[in-house]
Amino acid sequence: MTTPRMPGARIGVIGGGQLGRMLALEARRMGCRICILDPDPQCPAGQVADDQVVAAYADLEAARELARRTDVVTCEFENVDAAAVAAAESLRPVYPGSRVLRIAQHRVREKETLARMGFPVPAFHPVQTPADLETGLRRVGLPAVLKMATGGYDGKGQVLIRTAADAHRAYEALSPKSEMLILEQYVQFSKELSVVCARDVRGSIACYPLVENIHRNGILDVTIAPARVPGEVATAARNLVSAITEQLDVVGVLTVELFLIGDGRLLVNEVAPRPHNSGHYTLDACATSQFEQLLRIVCHLPLGAPELLTPAVMVNLLGDIWEQTGGQPDFKPVLAEAGIKLHLYGKAVAHPARKMGHMCAMAPTVEVVMERALAARKRITGV
């Protein structure tokens, strides 16, 4: 039987971005203390944390220092240095552990692991040489997507290819940036979906509702909760994600991105062992947010109910809005409306494609909430 670590639990977080910030704010509400490891002393999470180790993510001694200052460690994003996570793990429990992180932060390893476990993934082929690329094109076919195996997010580090000439140009552009690439089948999906799933040290699982995601230029733009799909698709998605979480032996929060294809089948796109942008709606619209859920897990508390209390739509606010409005946007017209919640991340500098915050709209039906969310953003941008 594990002993609860709160109130007053000291939680270390590797990463100081907006996910760490929202985790720290939930921790304050629950009486926990947060220490951040991040190289930027003004990072979003550091602004609201109790303590910070200012150092590079790959600094092994800094990771050990974070562990010494805390009772348990978690990660804000998966592309942290695995050796540093292992260094922290040598002194304190880390949820999720370095094994899961090593899988999630390498796209070839991720796809190979999921395929070996029998989960449905798009066709793929590892690429390290031009010969590998030729083999992959024969195996995967065209169109396809060539991606860096490590790093890259929000559409970065990947190229859509439609011809063999495209493939070789993409290889020349990406291969200097990553020791391995992955060629993946381009999936003609009808919807992009995701599920946030929580699993504790006892093996108990709680899955949040299936949500629908709309991307723009490779960046998540809108999340609709619940997803506009038949009930059997939602059930199949939750069952699939629960099985993946269990098979990977995740202790923490795992988000699984899915493609729904025309014949009703689901394919796994990516997994992220952390809170996720598509789960931000849980802060306002669920009985337990994804951030509180992670805190419950690392503190050995019972899982909270993932129940969706009201339909919700989350819209991202990118730095483009600040550029369009010539500086600080005017949020007063939005905040004057019922059912709209604003979350800003404390980032001092706005630039295009940078996530500066998000809004969550709530209403009795998906149709009404979708209209309300997009109208709210239009009031800010005029677009």
Side-chain angles (χ1 to χ4, degrees):
M1 186 72 175
T2 52
T3 303
R5 292 194 177 96
M6 67 170 293
R10 301 174 303 161
I11 300 164
V13 181
I14 301 177
Q18 62 264 21
L19 297 170
R21 180 187 181 93
M22 287 180 265
L23 183 65
L25 290 170
E26 287 286 84
R28 284 187 177 276
R29 182 179 62 78
M30 295 176 68
C32 299
R33 301 180 69 82
I34 291 283
C35 181
I36 301 293
L37 170 60
D38 193 278
D40 179 5
Q42 296 301 315
C43 65
Q47 296 168 18
V48 297
D50 300 280
D51 193 11
Q52 182 173 349
V53 177
V54 180
Y57 296 132
D59 187 328
L60 302 188
E61 182 52 36
R64 285 188 281 266
E65 177 60 21
L66 177 74
R68 284 190 286 265
R69 296 188 192 182
T70 57
D71 304 310
V72 62
V73 176
T74 189
C75 297
E76 184 224 26
F77 65 111
E78 65 272 22
N79 289 320
V80 298
D81 188 85
V85 175
E89 210 167 26
S90 69
L91 298 175
R92 295 288 186 271
V94 178
Y95 304 125
S98 57
R99 173 187 163 274
V100 174
L101 290 169
R102 288 180 188 275
I103 293 170
Q105 66 188 201
H106 195 285
R107 290 184 177 88
V108 174
R109 199 177 297 140
E110 175 189 65
K111 287 292 192 300
E112 288 178 342
T113 300
L114 292 169
R116 186 169 60 251
M117 291 176 171
F119 297 115
V121 297
F124 69 94
H125 190 77
V127 174
Q128 286 185 290
T129 67
D132 292 336
L133 180 62
E134 292 295 337
T135 302
L137 290 171
R138 290 193 295 272
R139 179 179 175 186
V140 173
L142 291 172
V145 182
L146 190 64
K147 302 178 181 180
M148 299 192 311
T150 57
Y153 63 96
D154 287 344
K156 301 179 180 72
Q158 56 184 270
V159 179
L160 172 63
I161 55 178
R162 300 187 182 278
T163 67
D166 289 344
H168 291 285
R169 283 192 293 268
Y171 176 83
E172 292 300 322
L174 296 178
S175 57
K177 302 175 184 177
S178 179
E179 63 178 343
M180 182 177 286
L181 307 176
I182 181 170
L183 185 72
E184 293 185 10
Q185 170 193 5
Y186 177 74
V187 178
Q188 298 283 358
F189 55 83
S190 59
K191 289 185 186 293
E192 290 183 278
L193 307 167
S194 63
V195 175
V196 177
C197 187
R199 183 172 180 268
D200 66 16
V201 292
R202 306 167 190 84
S204 299
I205 286 180
C207 267
Y208 286 88
L210 178 69
V211 299
E212 179 180 345
N213 299 315
I214 300 171
H215 289 77
R216 182 183 296 173
N217 299 323
I219 302 173
L220 180 62
D221 188 44
V222 176
T223 292
I224 304 161
R228 298 170 294 181
V229 298
E232 58 268 23
V233 172
T235 299
R238 286 195 298 271
N239 291 341
L240 173 60
V241 172
S242 295
I244 292 171
T245 305
E246 192 166 25
Q247 286 294 307
L248 290 176
D249 196 22
V250 172
V251 176
V253 171
L254 181 78
T255 304
V256 181
E257 299 176 21
L258 303 163
F259 293 132
L260 177 65
I261 56 179
D263 59 6
R265 288 187 299 127
L266 294 164
L267 295 177
V268 179
N269 179 28
E270 290 187 348
V271 302
R274 55 166 172 81
H276 196 261
N277 194 170
S278 69
H280 288 350
Y281 75 95
T282 64
L283 277 166
D284 301 307
C286 288
T288 308
S289 77
Q290 62 174 344
F291 302 99
E292 179 183 339
Q293 201 75 282
L294 180 56
L295 290 166
R296 284 170 173 257
I297 291 166
V298 302
C299 290
H300 295 165
L301 298 170
L303 292 175
E307 176 188 0
L308 182 67
L309 302 177
T310 176
V313 167
M314 187 279 303
V315 293
N316 268 332
L317 303 174
L318 302 185
D320 309 64
I321 294 173
W322 275 246
E323 189 175 73
Q324 291 165 5
T325 57
Q328 179 65 41
D330 182 7
F331 292 109
K332 292 193 296 295
V334 171
L335 294 177
E337 296 230 357
I340 302 286
K341 295 287 188 177
L342 174 67
H343 299 259
L344 297 177
Y345 303 152
K347 297 179 180 179
V349 178
H351 55 73
R354 189 181 197 196
K355 293 174 182 174
M356 300 296 292
H358 72 268
M359 291 188 300
C360 185
M362 292 159 284
T365 68
V366 169
E367 292 74 22
V368 171
V369 76
M370 187 72 170
E371 181 181 355
R372 181 176 291 176
L374 297 181
R377 189 165 58 180
K378 184 177 180 180
R379 288 189 187 92
I380 301 169
T381 63
V383 177

